[in-house]
Amino acid sequence: MALNNTYDARPVQQETAVGAGVQVLLLALLGTAIGMGPAGWLTGLAFAVATWAVLSRALHRTRPASFGPANRVTLGRSILVGGVTALVADSFESSPPVTVFVGLTAVALILDGVDGKVARATGTSTPLGARFDMEVDAFLILVLSVYVSMSMGPWVLLIGSMRYVFVAAARVRPWLTAPLPPSTARKTVAAIQGVFLLLAASGLLPFLASFGVVATALALLVWSFGRDVAWLWRRSRTVAPEGRAAHREELELASR
């Protein structure tokens, strides 16, 4: 008797569709409340469509049995990040209400510590969930750095772009893709970025104090990335040639 290997993707795909619908609803609420312009609407809708498409493709490739409670929390954070992204895009025409901007961002940052705990508590930790969480975090930092750079200068964009530069560098330097050992310092520095950028964006501090906070965040991030790159480089020097060849083969297979 032949085994039934069919996979029903509809349940998990329905959850991504619901997420996209909630994202549009949030944009409608923001548009009604603050009179968001075309730039905010278009950017927010583009974010919703891109998130739905990328996440749906990832779910189709990994074929999970269910979407999972932790991924629902991350999807909720993603919806909030979409709202923040729309507000930042709209800020090129008019400044968003500080309370709304800070509120959405603060909740998104707080929930960053929730999805991982939910995944561990429910035994639903997956590589996809970890990657989803990481990408939402990275994009929020990028958006916040864009907003803060409008008042402090383009150097702030280094904070938001550093992770993407690292990923791009790994394309031509495969040794950068090796797994890093767990690090509390790395997690702390990553968490600080969003908090410090939000503090600077809120306007609660004098300009010089905000400048110092953001400069400190950047210095810590450079230190963290520099330490990790140095560790990866030393590791690549100690790996046997056959080990490096096997690692390259794994990367090639994974990219297919």
Side-chain angles (χ1 to χ4, degrees), residues 28-178:
L29 291 174
L30 290 174
T32 301
I34 68 173
M36 194 164 58
W41 271 103
L42 291 174
T43 303
L45 290 173
F47 180 90
V49 172
T51 301
W52 169 80
V54 172
L55 186 56
S56 295
R57 183 185 179 194
L59 290 168
H60 181 74
R61 291 175 60 185
T62 56
R63 301 162 69 90
S66 65
F67 194 65
N71 282 336
R72 293 189 186 101
V73 176
T74 309
L75 183 59
R77 283 202 302 119
S78 174
I79 292 168
L80 295 174
V81 172
V84 174
T85 302
L87 290 176
V88 171
D90 195 58
S91 70
F92 285 93
E93 298 177 355
S94 60
S95 297
V98 175
T99 53
V100 176
F101 179 81
V102 171
L104 289 177
T105 306
V107 175
L109 290 173
I110 291 171
L111 289 177
D112 183 26
V114 175
D115 45 12
K117 291 180 180 179
V118 171
R120 290 186 292 272
T122 58
T124 55
S125 299
T126 63
L128 173 61
R131 180 66 181 273
F132 186 23
D133 177 47
M134 185 192 311
E135 296 300 339
V136 172
D137 291 343
F139 195 79
L140 177 58
I141 298 304
L142 175 62
V143 170
L144 289 176
S145 67
V146 169
Y147 184 74
V148 176
S149 71
M150 287 189 280
S151 60
M152 291 192 183
W155 64 273
V156 183
L157 295 174
L158 292 172
I159 295 177
S161 61
M162 198 168 298
R163 191 255 172 181
Y164 296 100
V165 171
F166 180 85
V167 171
R171 296 279 185 176
V172 294
R173 293 291 183 268
W175 53 269
L176 289 171
T177 62

